[in-house]
Amino acid sequence: MGLFDRFRRRSRVSRPTGGARTGSTTVRASDAADTAHLENFVSTRRGVEGFVEPRTAVSDVTLLLVAHDGEWTRRRVPSVAWAHNFANKHQVPSYDAAVVGVPQRMRDYNRRKKQQGL
């Protein structure tokens, strides 16, 4: 192994959908594990709503799922259309987070968890 070989190797982190970079970093693309996690969350919680978050300078498109009690999860998804299709397929209402924001119950849940020291 040469002195500079480690700098020539390709990163094991894949680029977001379309091969775009987000800011000065490269983030991993969504994968089957992300989809499985979202499906598990939807099937094991009640009153779930989806909030599609657009690509930003530091992250790719994400789907934020919030349950009736404010418990939430966020995962990368391939595209905005994919996120809305996922929500429709699982009969979950979906919203554009850039327009409606995130629900108050999520912020309340985070506050409760912080007060509990979790």
Short mmCIF file of all heavy atoms in Angstrom, two decimals, residues 29-86:
data_model
loop_
_atom_site.label_atom_id
_atom_site.label_comp_id
_atom_site.label_asym_id
_atom_site.label_seq_id
_atom_site.Cartn_x
_atom_site.Cartn_y
_atom_site.Cartn_z
N ALA A 29 -27.38 7.48 0.70
CA ALA A 29 -28.71 7.47 0.11
C ALA A 29 -29.63 6.58 0.95
O ALA A 29 -29.17 5.80 1.78
CB ALA A 29 -28.63 6.94 -1.32
N SER A 30 -30.92 6.72 0.75
CA SER A 30 -31.87 5.86 1.47
C SER A 30 -31.69 4.43 1.00
O SER A 30 -31.24 4.17 -0.12
CB SER A 30 -33.30 6.34 1.23
OG SER A 30 -33.62 6.21 -0.13
N ASP A 31 -32.05 3.48 1.86
CA ASP A 31 -31.90 2.08 1.50
C ASP A 31 -33.07 1.27 2.04
O ASP A 31 -34.01 1.81 2.61
CB ASP A 31 -30.55 1.53 1.98
CG ASP A 31 -30.35 1.67 3.48
OD1 ASP A 31 -31.34 1.88 4.21
OD2 ASP A 31 -29.20 1.57 3.92
N ALA A 32 -32.99 -0.05 1.86
CA ALA A 32 -34.08 -0.93 2.27
C ALA A 32 -34.28 -0.90 3.79
O ALA A 32 -35.42 -1.04 4.26
CB ALA A 32 -33.79 -2.36 1.82
N ALA A 33 -33.22 -0.69 4.55
CA ALA A 33 -33.36 -0.62 6.00
C ALA A 33 -34.20 0.59 6.41
O ALA A 33 -34.99 0.52 7.36
CB ALA A 33 -31.99 -0.56 6.67
N ASP A 34 -34.04 1.71 5.70
CA ASP A 34 -34.86 2.89 5.98
C ASP A 34 -36.33 2.61 5.70
O ASP A 34 -37.20 2.94 6.51
CB ASP A 34 -34.40 4.08 5.12
CG ASP A 34 -33.01 4.57 5.50
OD1 ASP A 34 -32.67 4.53 6.70
OD2 ASP A 34 -32.28 4.99 4.59
N THR A 35 -36.60 1.98 4.57
CA THR A 35 -37.98 1.64 4.22
C THR A 35 -38.58 0.68 5.24
O THR A 35 -39.72 0.87 5.68
CB THR A 35 -38.03 1.01 2.81
OG1 THR A 35 -37.47 1.93 1.87
CG2 THR A 35 -39.45 0.69 2.40
N ALA A 36 -37.83 -0.33 5.64
CA ALA A 36 -38.32 -1.29 6.63
C ALA A 36 -38.62 -0.60 7.95
O ALA A 36 -39.63 -0.90 8.60
CB ALA A 36 -37.31 -2.40 6.83
N HIS A 37 -37.77 0.33 8.35
CA HIS A 37 -38.00 1.06 9.61
C HIS A 37 -39.28 1.89 9.53
O HIS A 37 -40.09 1.89 10.47
CB HIS A 37 -36.81 1.97 9.92
CG HIS A 37 -36.99 2.77 11.16
ND1 HIS A 37 -36.78 2.26 12.42
CD2 HIS A 37 -37.42 4.04 11.34
CE1 HIS A 37 -37.04 3.19 13.32
NE2 HIS A 37 -37.44 4.27 12.69
N LEU A 38 -39.48 2.58 8.42
CA LEU A 38 -40.70 3.39 8.25
C LEU A 38 -41.94 2.49 8.26
O LEU A 38 -42.95 2.84 8.91
CB LEU A 38 -40.62 4.19 6.95
CG LEU A 38 -39.57 5.29 6.90
CD1 LEU A 38 -39.44 5.84 5.48
CD2 LEU A 38 -39.87 6.40 7.89
N GLU A 39 -41.88 1.36 7.56
CA GLU A 39 -43.03 0.45 7.54
C GLU A 39 -43.32 -0.10 8.93
O GLU A 39 -44.49 -0.21 9.32
CB GLU A 39 -42.77 -0.69 6.55
CG GLU A 39 -42.84 -0.25 5.11
CD GLU A 39 -42.45 -1.32 4.12
OE1 GLU A 39 -41.85 -2.35 4.52
OE2 GLU A 39 -42.75 -1.13 2.93
N ASN A 40 -42.29 -0.42 9.69
CA ASN A 40 -42.48 -0.91 11.05
C ASN A 40 -43.11 0.16 11.93
O ASN A 40 -44.02 -0.13 12.72
CB ASN A 40 -41.13 -1.36 11.65
CG ASN A 40 -41.30 -1.89 13.05
OD1 ASN A 40 -42.12 -2.77 13.29
ND2 ASN A 40 -40.53 -1.36 13.96
N PHE A 41 -42.66 1.40 11.80
CA PHE A 41 -43.21 2.49 12.60
C PHE A 41 -44.69 2.68 12.32
O PHE A 41 -45.51 2.78 13.23
CB PHE A 41 -42.44 3.79 12.33
CG PHE A 41 -42.79 4.90 13.28
CD1 PHE A 41 -42.11 5.05 14.47
CD2 PHE A 41 -43.81 5.81 12.98
CE1 PHE A 41 -42.42 6.08 15.36
CE2 PHE A 41 -44.13 6.83 13.85
CZ PHE A 41 -43.43 6.97 15.04
N VAL A 42 -45.05 2.68 11.03
CA VAL A 42 -46.45 2.87 10.64
C VAL A 42 -47.33 1.73 11.15
O VAL A 42 -48.44 1.96 11.62
CB VAL A 42 -46.56 3.00 9.10
CG1 VAL A 42 -48.00 2.90 8.64
CG2 VAL A 42 -45.95 4.31 8.64
N SER A 43 -46.81 0.51 11.10
CA SER A 43 -47.64 -0.65 11.47
C SER A 43 -47.74 -0.85 12.98
O SER A 43 -48.65 -1.55 13.43
CB SER A 43 -47.10 -1.91 10.81
OG SER A 43 -45.82 -2.22 11.31
N THR A 44 -46.87 -0.24 13.76
CA THR A 44 -46.89 -0.47 15.21
C THR A 44 -47.35 0.74 16.01
O THR A 44 -47.39 0.69 17.24
CB THR A 44 -45.49 -0.89 15.72
OG1 THR A 44 -44.55 0.13 15.38
CG2 THR A 44 -45.07 -2.21 15.10
N ARG A 45 -47.70 1.83 15.36
CA ARG A 45 -48.21 3.03 16.04
C ARG A 45 -49.57 3.40 15.48
O ARG A 45 -49.89 3.04 14.36
CB ARG A 45 -47.29 4.24 15.84
CG ARG A 45 -45.86 4.34 16.35
CD ARG A 45 -45.32 3.36 17.21
NE ARG A 45 -43.96 3.56 17.65
CZ ARG A 45 -42.94 2.83 17.23
NH1 ARG A 45 -43.08 1.97 16.26
NH2 ARG A 45 -41.76 2.97 17.79
N ARG A 46 -50.32 4.14 16.25
CA ARG A 46 -51.62 4.61 15.73
C ARG A 46 -51.59 6.12 15.55
O ARG A 46 -50.80 6.81 16.17
CB ARG A 46 -52.76 4.18 16.64
CG ARG A 46 -52.76 4.75 18.01
CD ARG A 46 -53.93 4.19 18.84
NE ARG A 46 -53.89 4.70 20.19
CZ ARG A 46 -54.48 5.82 20.59
NH1 ARG A 46 -55.20 6.52 19.73
NH2 ARG A 46 -54.38 6.23 21.84
N GLY A 47 -52.46 6.59 14.69
CA GLY A 47 -52.57 8.03 14.44
C GLY A 47 -51.33 8.64 13.81
O GLY A 47 -50.99 9.79 14.09
N VAL A 48 -50.66 7.90 12.93
CA VAL A 48 -49.42 8.37 12.33
C VAL A 48 -49.72 9.34 11.18
O VAL A 48 -50.62 9.12 10.38
CB VAL A 48 -48.57 7.19 11.82
CG1 VAL A 48 -47.32 7.68 11.11
CG2 VAL A 48 -48.21 6.26 12.96
N GLU A 49 -48.94 10.42 11.14
CA GLU A 49 -48.98 11.37 10.04
C GLU A 49 -47.57 11.51 9.49
O GLU A 49 -46.59 11.37 10.22
CB GLU A 49 -49.47 12.75 10.50
CG GLU A 49 -50.91 12.78 10.93
CD GLU A 49 -51.34 14.16 11.38
OE1 GLU A 49 -50.60 14.81 12.13
OE2 GLU A 49 -52.43 14.58 10.97
N GLY A 50 -47.48 11.77 8.19
CA GLY A 50 -46.18 11.93 7.54
C GLY A 50 -45.91 13.37 7.16
O GLY A 50 -46.81 14.07 6.70
N PHE A 51 -44.67 13.80 7.35
CA PHE A 51 -44.25 15.14 6.99
C PHE A 51 -43.02 15.01 6.10
O PHE A 51 -41.98 14.53 6.54
CB PHE A 51 -43.94 15.97 8.25
CG PHE A 51 -45.15 16.17 9.11
CD1 PHE A 51 -45.50 15.21 10.05
CD2 PHE A 51 -45.95 17.28 8.95
CE1 PHE A 51 -46.63 15.37 10.84
CE2 PHE A 51 -47.09 17.45 9.74
CZ PHE A 51 -47.43 16.48 10.67
N VAL A 52 -43.17 15.41 4.85
CA VAL A 52 -42.09 15.27 3.87
C VAL A 52 -41.22 16.52 3.94
O VAL A 52 -41.68 17.64 3.73
CB VAL A 52 -42.66 15.09 2.45
CG1 VAL A 52 -41.54 14.91 1.44
CG2 VAL A 52 -43.61 13.90 2.41
N GLU A 53 -39.94 16.28 4.27
CA GLU A 53 -39.00 17.39 4.41
C GLU A 53 -38.12 17.45 3.16
O GLU A 53 -37.52 16.44 2.77
CB GLU A 53 -38.14 17.17 5.66
CG GLU A 53 -38.99 17.13 6.91
CD GLU A 53 -38.22 16.72 8.15
OE1 GLU A 53 -37.38 15.81 8.06
OE2 GLU A 53 -38.48 17.32 9.21
N PRO A 54 -38.02 18.61 2.54
CA PRO A 54 -37.25 18.73 1.29
C PRO A 54 -35.75 18.60 1.52
O PRO A 54 -35.26 18.71 2.65
CB PRO A 54 -37.61 20.13 0.79
CG PRO A 54 -37.95 20.88 2.03
CD PRO A 54 -38.58 19.88 2.96
N ARG A 55 -35.03 18.39 0.45
CA ARG A 55 -33.56 18.35 0.51
C ARG A 55 -33.05 19.69 1.02
O ARG A 55 -33.57 20.74 0.67
CB ARG A 55 -33.00 18.08 -0.88
CG ARG A 55 -31.49 18.10 -0.93
CD ARG A 55 -30.97 17.76 -2.30
NE ARG A 55 -31.28 16.36 -2.55
CZ ARG A 55 -31.46 15.84 -3.74
NH1 ARG A 55 -31.40 16.60 -4.81
NH2 ARG A 55 -31.72 14.57 -3.89
N THR A 56 -32.04 19.63 1.87
CA THR A 56 -31.42 20.85 2.40
C THR A 56 -29.93 20.80 2.08
O THR A 56 -29.45 19.87 1.43
CB THR A 56 -31.60 20.95 3.93
OG1 THR A 56 -30.87 19.89 4.54
CG2 THR A 56 -33.07 20.89 4.32
N ALA A 57 -29.20 21.76 2.60
CA ALA A 57 -27.76 21.81 2.38
C ALA A 57 -27.04 20.66 3.06
O ALA A 57 -25.94 20.30 2.67
CB ALA A 57 -27.20 23.14 2.87
N VAL A 58 -27.65 20.08 4.08
CA VAL A 58 -26.96 19.02 4.83
C VAL A 58 -27.65 17.66 4.79
O VAL A 58 -27.11 16.69 5.30
CB VAL A 58 -26.75 19.42 6.31
CG1 VAL A 58 -25.79 20.58 6.42
CG2 VAL A 58 -28.07 19.74 6.97
N SER A 59 -28.84 17.56 4.22
CA SER A 59 -29.49 16.25 4.15
C SER A 59 -30.33 16.11 2.90
O SER A 59 -30.77 17.09 2.31
CB SER A 59 -30.37 16.01 5.39
OG SER A 59 -31.49 16.84 5.35
N ASP A 60 -30.57 14.86 2.54
CA ASP A 60 -31.41 14.55 1.40
C ASP A 60 -32.87 14.65 1.83
O ASP A 60 -33.17 15.00 2.96
CB ASP A 60 -31.07 13.13 0.91
CG ASP A 60 -31.38 12.93 -0.56
OD1 ASP A 60 -31.84 13.88 -1.21
OD2 ASP A 60 -31.15 11.82 -1.06
N VAL A 61 -33.80 14.32 0.95
CA VAL A 61 -35.22 14.33 1.27
C VAL A 61 -35.48 13.33 2.39
O VAL A 61 -34.96 12.22 2.38
CB VAL A 61 -36.07 13.96 0.03
CG1 VAL A 61 -37.55 13.92 0.37
CG2 VAL A 61 -35.81 14.94 -1.10
N THR A 62 -36.26 13.74 3.39
CA THR A 62 -36.59 12.85 4.51
C THR A 62 -38.09 12.78 4.71
O THR A 62 -38.83 13.69 4.34
CB THR A 62 -35.92 13.30 5.82
OG1 THR A 62 -36.32 14.65 6.11
CG2 THR A 62 -34.41 13.23 5.74
N LEU A 63 -38.51 11.68 5.32
CA LEU A 63 -39.90 11.50 5.71
C LEU A 63 -39.94 11.42 7.22
O LEU A 63 -39.31 10.55 7.82
CB LEU A 63 -40.49 10.23 5.09
CG LEU A 63 -41.93 9.89 5.48
CD1 LEU A 63 -42.89 11.02 5.12
CD2 LEU A 63 -42.37 8.59 4.82
N LEU A 64 -40.64 12.35 7.83
CA LEU A 64 -40.81 12.39 9.27
C LEU A 64 -42.19 11.80 9.57
O LEU A 64 -43.20 12.29 9.06
CB LEU A 64 -40.75 13.84 9.77
CG LEU A 64 -41.10 14.10 11.22
CD1 LEU A 64 -40.04 13.50 12.14
CD2 LEU A 64 -41.23 15.59 11.46
N LEU A 65 -42.23 10.74 10.37
CA LEU A 65 -43.49 10.13 10.78
C LEU A 65 -43.73 10.46 12.24
O LEU A 65 -42.83 10.27 13.07
CB LEU A 65 -43.46 8.62 10.57
CG LEU A 65 -43.31 8.12 9.14
CD1 LEU A 65 -43.22 6.60 9.10
CD2 LEU A 65 -44.47 8.61 8.27
N VAL A 66 -44.92 10.95 12.56
CA VAL A 66 -45.26 11.34 13.93
C VAL A 66 -46.52 10.60 14.34
O VAL A 66 -47.55 10.67 13.67
CB VAL A 66 -45.47 12.86 14.05
CG1 VAL A 66 -45.76 13.26 15.48
CG2 VAL A 66 -44.28 13.63 13.51
N ALA A 67 -46.45 9.87 15.47
CA ALA A 67 -47.58 9.12 15.98
C ALA A 67 -48.51 10.04 16.79
O ALA A 67 -48.17 11.20 17.06
CB ALA A 67 -47.09 7.96 16.85
N HIS A 68 -49.64 9.50 17.24
CA HIS A 68 -50.65 10.28 17.95
C HIS A 68 -50.10 10.90 19.23
O HIS A 68 -50.52 11.99 19.63
CB HIS A 68 -51.86 9.41 18.29
CG HIS A 68 -51.64 8.51 19.46
ND1 HIS A 68 -50.86 7.37 19.38
CD2 HIS A 68 -52.05 8.60 20.74
CE1 HIS A 68 -50.81 6.79 20.57
NE2 HIS A 68 -51.54 7.51 21.41
N ASP A 69 -49.13 10.24 19.89
CA ASP A 69 -48.61 10.74 21.16
C ASP A 69 -47.37 11.62 20.99
O ASP A 69 -46.81 12.09 21.97
CB ASP A 69 -48.26 9.57 22.09
CG ASP A 69 -47.19 8.65 21.51
OD1 ASP A 69 -46.83 8.81 20.32
OD2 ASP A 69 -46.72 7.77 22.26
N GLY A 70 -46.95 11.84 19.76
CA GLY A 70 -45.80 12.69 19.48
C GLY A 70 -44.53 11.92 19.22
O GLY A 70 -43.52 12.50 18.80
N GLU A 71 -44.53 10.59 19.46
CA GLU A 71 -43.35 9.80 19.14
C GLU A 71 -43.09 9.93 17.65
O GLU A 71 -44.02 9.95 16.85
CB GLU A 71 -43.57 8.34 19.52
CG GLU A 71 -42.37 7.47 19.28
CD GLU A 71 -42.60 6.01 19.63
OE1 GLU A 71 -43.74 5.63 19.97
OE2 GLU A 71 -41.63 5.26 19.55
N TRP A 72 -41.83 10.01 17.28
CA TRP A 72 -41.52 10.28 15.88
C TRP A 72 -40.28 9.53 15.43
O TRP A 72 -39.49 9.06 16.23
CB TRP A 72 -41.34 11.77 15.65
CG TRP A 72 -40.23 12.37 16.47
CD1 TRP A 72 -40.30 12.81 17.77
CD2 TRP A 72 -38.88 12.57 16.06
NE1 TRP A 72 -39.09 13.28 18.18
CE2 TRP A 72 -38.19 13.14 17.16
CE3 TRP A 72 -38.19 12.33 14.88
CZ2 TRP A 72 -36.84 13.47 17.10
CZ3 TRP A 72 -36.84 12.65 14.82
CH2 TRP A 72 -36.18 13.23 15.92
N THR A 73 -40.15 9.45 14.11
CA THR A 73 -38.96 8.91 13.47
C THR A 73 -38.76 9.64 12.15
O THR A 73 -39.71 10.11 11.54
CB THR A 73 -39.06 7.38 13.25
OG1 THR A 73 -37.80 6.88 12.84
CG2 THR A 73 -40.11 7.03 12.21
N ARG A 74 -37.50 9.73 11.74
CA ARG A 74 -37.18 10.41 10.49
C ARG A 74 -36.18 9.55 9.73
O ARG A 74 -35.19 9.10 10.30
CB ARG A 74 -36.56 11.78 10.79
CG ARG A 74 -36.09 12.53 9.58
CD ARG A 74 -35.39 13.84 9.94
NE ARG A 74 -36.35 14.84 10.40
CZ ARG A 74 -36.31 15.43 11.59
NH1 ARG A 74 -35.37 15.14 12.46
NH2 ARG A 74 -37.22 16.33 11.91
N ARG A 75 -36.42 9.35 8.45
CA ARG A 75 -35.51 8.57 7.62
C ARG A 75 -35.39 9.20 6.23
O ARG A 75 -36.32 9.85 5.75
CB ARG A 75 -36.00 7.12 7.44
CG ARG A 75 -35.95 6.28 8.70
CD ARG A 75 -34.51 6.03 9.11
NE ARG A 75 -34.39 5.14 10.24
CZ ARG A 75 -34.37 5.51 11.52
NH1 ARG A 75 -34.52 6.76 11.84
NH2 ARG A 75 -34.21 4.62 12.48
N ARG A 76 -34.24 8.99 5.62
CA ARG A 76 -34.04 9.44 4.24
C ARG A 76 -34.94 8.64 3.31
O ARG A 76 -35.18 7.46 3.54
CB ARG A 76 -32.60 9.22 3.82
CG ARG A 76 -31.63 10.12 4.51
CD ARG A 76 -30.21 9.79 4.07
NE ARG A 76 -29.26 10.59 4.77
CZ ARG A 76 -28.71 10.26 5.94
NH1 ARG A 76 -29.02 9.13 6.53
NH2 ARG A 76 -27.85 11.07 6.52
N VAL A 77 -35.40 9.30 2.26
CA VAL A 77 -36.22 8.64 1.24
C VAL A 77 -35.69 9.06 -0.13
O VAL A 77 -35.02 10.09 -0.26
CB VAL A 77 -37.72 8.97 1.39
CG1 VAL A 77 -38.27 8.42 2.69
CG2 VAL A 77 -37.97 10.47 1.31
N PRO A 78 -35.99 8.26 -1.17
CA PRO A 78 -35.46 8.57 -2.50
C PRO A 78 -35.92 9.90 -3.09
O PRO A 78 -35.17 10.57 -3.78
CB PRO A 78 -35.94 7.41 -3.36
CG PRO A 78 -36.21 6.30 -2.40
CD PRO A 78 -36.65 6.96 -1.13
N SER A 79 -37.19 10.28 -2.83
CA SER A 79 -37.70 11.52 -3.42
C SER A 79 -38.97 11.96 -2.68
O SER A 79 -39.55 11.19 -1.91
CB SER A 79 -38.03 11.32 -4.90
OG SER A 79 -39.14 10.45 -5.03
N VAL A 80 -39.38 13.16 -2.97
CA VAL A 80 -40.62 13.69 -2.39
C VAL A 80 -41.80 12.85 -2.86
O VAL A 80 -42.68 12.48 -2.07
CB VAL A 80 -40.81 15.18 -2.77
CG1 VAL A 80 -42.19 15.67 -2.38
CG2 VAL A 80 -39.72 16.03 -2.13
N ALA A 81 -41.83 12.51 -4.15
CA ALA A 81 -42.93 11.70 -4.69
C ALA A 81 -42.96 10.33 -4.01
O ALA A 81 -44.04 9.83 -3.69
CB ALA A 81 -42.78 11.55 -6.20
N TRP A 82 -41.80 9.73 -3.79
CA TRP A 82 -41.74 8.43 -3.12
C TRP A 82 -42.34 8.53 -1.73
O TRP A 82 -43.09 7.65 -1.30
CB TRP A 82 -40.29 7.95 -3.04
CG TRP A 82 -40.16 6.57 -2.50
CD1 TRP A 82 -40.04 5.42 -3.23
CD2 TRP A 82 -40.15 6.16 -1.12
NE1 TRP A 82 -39.95 4.33 -2.38
CE2 TRP A 82 -40.02 4.76 -1.08
CE3 TRP A 82 -40.24 6.84 0.08
CZ2 TRP A 82 -39.98 4.03 0.11
CZ3 TRP A 82 -40.21 6.13 1.28
CH2 TRP A 82 -40.07 4.74 1.28
N ALA A 83 -42.03 9.59 -1.01
CA ALA A 83 -42.54 9.77 0.35
C ALA A 83 -44.07 9.86 0.37
O ALA A 83 -44.74 9.23 1.19
CB ALA A 83 -41.92 11.01 0.99
N HIS A 84 -44.63 10.65 -0.54
CA HIS A 84 -46.09 10.78 -0.60
C HIS A 84 -46.73 9.46 -1.03
O HIS A 84 -47.79 9.09 -0.50
CB HIS A 84 -46.49 11.93 -1.52
CG HIS A 84 -46.25 13.28 -0.93
ND1 HIS A 84 -46.95 13.76 0.16
CD2 HIS A 84 -45.38 14.25 -1.27
CE1 HIS A 84 -46.52 14.97 0.46
NE2 HIS A 84 -45.57 15.30 -0.39
N ASN A 85 -46.12 8.75 -1.97
CA ASN A 85 -46.64 7.44 -2.38
C ASN A 85 -46.60 6.44 -1.23
O ASN A 85 -47.53 5.66 -1.04
CB ASN A 85 -45.87 6.90 -3.59
CG ASN A 85 -46.19 7.66 -4.86
OD1 ASN A 85 -47.24 8.27 -4.98
ND2 ASN A 85 -45.26 7.62 -5.79
N PHE A 86 -45.52 6.45 -0.46
CA PHE A 86 -45.39 5.58 0.71
C PHE A 86 -46.53 5.87 1.69
O PHE A 86 -47.19 4.95 2.18
CB PHE A 86 -44.04 5.80 1.39
CG PHE A 86 -43.88 5.04 2.68
CD1 PHE A 86 -43.37 3.75 2.68
CD2 PHE A 86 -44.24 5.61 3.90
CE1 PHE A 86 -43.23 3.04 3.86
CE2 PHE A 86 -44.09 4.91 5.09
CZ PHE A 86 -43.59 3.62 5.07
#
